[in-house]
């Protein structure tokens, strides 16, 4: 079984990183707490006059490198690997790639270990990557192909309106992925 695992909002805690960076950069402006997020894209959570601030936060040098890991993510990847799954990291870099791309590699090396660098796929279109499963927090993933993978949502407050997909966390992945007894 080949499993694609998204990074932001799944392995890297984008929400916590964003909150902390926001509070440092704009201590006088309220941050939308992660638990209250309702939109998959953080920029949609803020009024138009603050969207430039949002953009500034996650385009800043060091933002992606500094993201804390989602607890249990590394252990789950290693367990899936040990079970014989072909696990790949599959992430969409910002089009403004200057810091994001290299920092994603740095993050993987630090948080998961250098062996995972060889398993990192950066793509703007996940639908063209062949796999059995994609674990991703974003409810809507568009691209040029009909995906071969089942999209399983990594459960987050901002994707709970989507009832059409199975969902998991790094606490429940075993039951969800292997519930058919495979
Ligand atoms: Mg994501």
């Amino acid at each position: 079984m080949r499993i694609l695992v998204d990074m932001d909002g799944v392995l890297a805690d984008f929400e916590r990183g964003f909150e902390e960076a926001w509070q440092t950069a704009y201590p006088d402006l309220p941050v939308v707490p992660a638990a209250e997020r309702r939109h998959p894209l953080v920029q949609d959570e803020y009024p138009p006059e603050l969207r430039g601030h949002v953009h500034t936060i996650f385009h800043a040098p060091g933002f992606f490198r500094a993201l804390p890991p989602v607890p249990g993510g590394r252990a789950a990847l290693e367990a899936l690997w040990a079970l014989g799954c072909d696990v790949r990291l599959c992430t969409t870099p910002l089009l403004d790639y200057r810091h994001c791309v290299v920092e994603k590699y740095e993050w993987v090396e630090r948080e998961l270990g250098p062996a995972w660098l060889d398993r990192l796929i950066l793509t703007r279109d996940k639908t063209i990557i062949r796999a059995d499963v994609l674990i991703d927090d974003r409810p809507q993933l568009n691209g040029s192909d009909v995906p071969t993978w089942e999209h399983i949502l990594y459960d987050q407050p901002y994707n709970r309106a989507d009832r059409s997909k199975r969902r998991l966390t790094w606490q429940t992945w075993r039951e969800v992925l292997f519930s058919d007894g495979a």
Side-chain angles (χ1 to χ4, degrees):
M1 176 156 67
R2 178 177 296 148
I3 302 179
L4 307 175
V5 184
D6 175 37
M7 286 178 66
D8 298 320
V10 177
L11 293 169
D13 194 341
F14 185 97
E15 306 312 315
R16 189 148 75 86
F18 183 88
E19 270 186 40
E20 289 171 4
W22 181 279
Q23 284 162 345
T24 301
Y26 311 119
D28 299 329
L29 293 173
V31 68
V32 178
E36 293 174 20
R37 289 272 320 280
R38 293 295 176 265
H39 298 278
L41 298 177
V42 66
Q43 54 268 42
D44 296 335
E45 206 73 53
Y46 288 80
E49 63 272 20
L50 290 180
R51 290 198 185 142
H53 295 59
V54 174
H55 184 276
T56 299
I57 293 285
F58 66 74
H59 286 78
F63 175 78
F64 284 94
R65 185 193 302 119
L67 292 180
V70 173
R74 178 177 184 165
L77 291 185
E78 289 172 352
L80 284 164
W81 183 253
L83 285 165
C85 296
D86 179 3
V87 187
R88 312 281 174 145
L89 312 172
C90 189
T91 184
T92 298
L94 298 177
L95 271 184
D96 190 347
Y97 59 86
R98 283 162 190 80
H99 308 298
C100 170
V101 167
V102 72
E103 291 182 18
K104 279 178 177 286
Y105 278 90
E106 289 171 339
W107 191 94
V108 167
E109 186 173 45
R110 183 188 75 227
E111 296 296 342
L112 305 177
W116 287 90
L117 293 171
D118 197 35
R119 313 200 69 78
L120 176 55
I121 300 166
L122 274 70
T123 177
R124 296 284 299 176
D125 185 349
K126 296 183 183 182
T127 70
I128 65 172
I129 313 293
R130 294 172 57 85
D132 301 291
V133 169
L134 166 69
I135 298 169
D136 204 297
D137 62 313
R138 192 156 161 183
Q140 208 58 45
L141 291 162
N142 300 317
S144 29
D145 273 2
V146 176
T148 59
W149 32 256
E150 176 192 358
H151 178 184
I152 299 182
L153 279 171
Y154 190 88
D155 183 55
Q156 290 285 6
Y158 48 81
N159 63 29
R160 291 193 186 136
D162 187 323
R163 303 301 190 106
S164 68
K165 301 176 184 71
R166 298 199 292 161
R167 55 182 62 235
L168 57 66
T169 66
W170 296 132
Q171 283 68 52
T172 65
W173 65 270
R174 283 179 194 273
E175 299 94 271
V176 176
L177 288 177
F178 301 107
S179 55
D180 61 356

